[in-house]
Amino acid sequence: MTAHVITDEAEALAVAAALADDFRIGAAERDAERRLPCAELDRLSASGLLAVTVPAEYGGADVSARTLAEVFRLLGSADGSLAQIPQSHFVYANVIRRQGTEPQRTFFFAELLAGRRFGNAQSEAGTKHVQDFRTRLERRPDGFHALNGVKHYCTGALFADWIPVLACAEDDNMYVAFVPRTAPGVTVIDDWDGMGQRTTASGSVRLDGVLVPADRVLPHHLTFQGPQLHGAIAQLLHAAIDVGIAGGALAQAVEFVRTKSRAWFESGLETAAEDPLLIQRFGELAIQLRASEALLREAAGAVDAARGHLTDDTAAEASIAVAVAKVRAAEAAVDVASALFEVSGTRSALNSTNLHRHWRDARIHTLHDPPRWKIQHIGRYVLSDIRPPRHGLL
């Protein structure tokens, strides 16, 4: 595979905007038919967007967190499923940047610049909690590792060239094993049947005695020793997707009311768009959306500031700023996508319009990480100066 190499932030944003415009066309049909976006992902790879965080010394644009968040917001406004697929890709690119050896960085950054895609195999079902893992990585006498386990919610794995797998080793520490999707013993199962984000193919991955060379294993547990931005960056991208979904829903509500909705008979008006009650509601929704967009930009700025001067304090401030943005973004996505029907009327609820995909995508995606726990960490930080914990979900 060959891919264009994006050279700066302005180009990254221009490419993302153009792709979002194209991906918006057909998004409703892809969702309705559950037609997986294979061609669209190939275009995403070829565009060079998947390599924009590669450090400059390895040939990448090394864009800011603010630019990356805007890329995801743009994609999310077009297709809430498609935007979700590369989220883990960038999270694990960041793991390589932080924990990879020089040979590992050289190899994997070259893969990204060539358009290769990372999926993920991290979550497991039936365990005690979301960070309780049964998948094991066992060292063999020949220097390889054997990987065994079953993963669920593996967004991106079906479309990936490499699947980063979280697994515990004999020392009970967490490692990331980068495994080719076509490696012997790897089975990717398209069994995702969620009501929303239907085309993410967030199914299962089975790992049966998968052999992993030592140079494809990274010590993920070291990520959380000392100040880090792993969780903040991951959550920032989730927030950007939510903000994008909210923006896409509002845009479609505007279009529907302007072109299809009828004025309520008691208003005495010719068009629905003239109704002062609807005007009021659209104003409220616009304020909610703009607030979430502003908080997203502020959070991205805090991440960028912390990247330039990483300490316990700057990392904590970035995590809290992202948590604030994520809470507001989740509320905006669900509220605006739901209000779409309120302002548009009965016809907007027909399956033939598939406008309900925005609400379904928002409802599924906002289940990722409970806002209630983020609010707890925000409150402790504000009231008692207690820094948030170091983990990948904050």
Side-chain angles (χ1 to χ4, degrees):
M1 178 184 296
T2 59
H4 173 68
V5 176
I6 290 174
T7 58
D8 58 34
E9 309 214 4
E11 184 183 10
L13 293 174
V15 170
L19 285 176
D21 286 343
D22 287 348
F23 293 162
R24 188 172 289 108
I25 302 169
E29 289 75 16
R30 285 194 299 273
D31 174 90
E33 300 169 8
R34 197 176 180 269
R35 188 171 72 247
L36 300 182
C38 298
E40 288 77 13
L41 286 170
D42 284 344
R43 287 191 61 194
L44 192 63
S45 290
S47 75
L49 270 184
L50 296 182
V52 293
T53 59
V54 170
E57 59 267 33
Y58 295 92
D62 199 7
V63 302
S64 64
R66 182 163 181 169
T67 291
L68 187 61
E70 179 64 6
V71 166
F72 271 81
R73 188 196 69 80
L74 288 166
L75 294 176
S77 72
D79 187 335
S81 284
L82 186 54
Q84 177 63 28
I85 294 169
Q87 190 269 345
S88 291
H89 171 95
F90 284 99
V91 169
Y92 285 103
N94 192 45
V95 170
I96 292 168
R97 180 176 190 148
R98 182 171 172 86
Q99 296 302 336
T101 63
E102 180 60 29
Q104 287 171 330
R105 292 189 187 112
T106 298
F107 175 79
F108 279 114
F109 288 149
E111 288 286 278
L112 296 183
L113 288 168
R116 306 284 191 270
R117 296 192 288 263
F118 293 161
N120 95 85
Q122 50 189 22
S123 294
E124 299 182 15
T127 56
K128 186 176 180 180
H129 52 71
V130 71
Q131 292 196 323
D132 179 24
F133 296 101
R134 295 173 182 166
T135 300
R136 307 299 297 183
L137 186 69
E138 299 177 2
R139 186 182 297 274
R140 291 161 40 108
D142 60 6
F144 282 78
H145 295 76
L147 192 58
N148 290 279
V150 179
K151 298 288 189 175
H152 298 273
Y153 312 118
C154 301
T155 304
L158 190 68
F159 313 107
D161 299 288
W162 293 90
I163 303 176
V165 182
L166 285 186
C168 289
E170 293 93 332
D171 59 6
D172 289 328
N173 285 320
M174 187 64 59
Y175 292 82
V176 180
F178 283 78
V179 178
R181 181 175 55 83
T182 56
V186 176
T187 305
V188 181
I189 307 166
D190 182 19
D191 57 358
W192 171 244
D193 64 349
M195 68 174 183
Q197 293 196 308
R198 298 183 65 225
T199 60
T200 59
S202 300
S204 307
V205 172
R206 293 186 177 275
L207 307 145
D208 299 307
V210 179
L211 296 183
V212 185
D215 63 356
R216 297 294 179 262
V217 178
L218 282 75
H220 192 44
H221 60 283
L222 297 182
T223 298
F224 306 102
Q225 294 182 8
Q228 51 80 37
L229 296 171
H230 176 84
I233 291 172
Q235 292 298 302
L236 180 71
L237 302 186
H238 282 309
I241 294 168
D242 287 339
V243 175
I245 291 172
L250 185 58
Q252 288 225 270
V254 168
E255 176 66 17
F256 199 93
V257 169
R258 283 176 175 173
T259 61
K260 295 183 176 63
S261 296
R262 296 182 297 179
W264 184 244
F265 74 97
E266 291 177 289
S267 71
L269 299 169
E270 291 297 316
T271 68
E274 297 173 284
D275 187 333
L277 300 180
L278 283 183
I279 291 170
Q280 174 75 17
R281 190 68 178 114
F282 271 100
E284 293 168 349
L285 296 174
I287 290 169
Q288 191 171 7
L289 176 62
R290 289 197 177 199
S292 68
E293 292 171 341
L295 287 171
L296 181 68
R297 290 191 295 270
E298 179 181 295
V303 171
D304 284 328
R307 283 177 61 183
H309 180 59
L310 188 59
T311 67
D312 284 331
D313 288 337
T314 61
E317 183 58 36
S319 289
I320 291 298
V322 171
V324 170
K326 181 66 169 64
V327 170
R328 179 54 64 193
E331 292 172 348
V334 174
D335 290 352
V336 175
S338 177
L340 183 157
F341 307 106
E342 170 196 339
V343 296
S344 301
T346 305
R347 278 198 295 170
S348 65
L350 297 177
N351 278 326
S352 58
T353 68
N354 200 17
L355 292 176
H356 48 67
R357 71 181 174 91
H358 298 290
W359 183 86
R360 290 186 289 102
D361 286 347
R363 187 64 280 176
I364 284 287
H365 186 253
T366 54
L367 298 177
H368 249 283
D369 313 292
R372 60 187 180 273
W373 273 99
K374 297 185 188 301
I375 294 170
Q376 285 286 309
H377 294 307
I378 294 165
R380 292 189 184 104
Y381 184 73
V382 171
L383 186 62
S384 304
D385 295 321
I386 297 174
R387 296 187 186 112
R390 294 171 179 163
H391 59 62
L393 303 179
L394 191 68

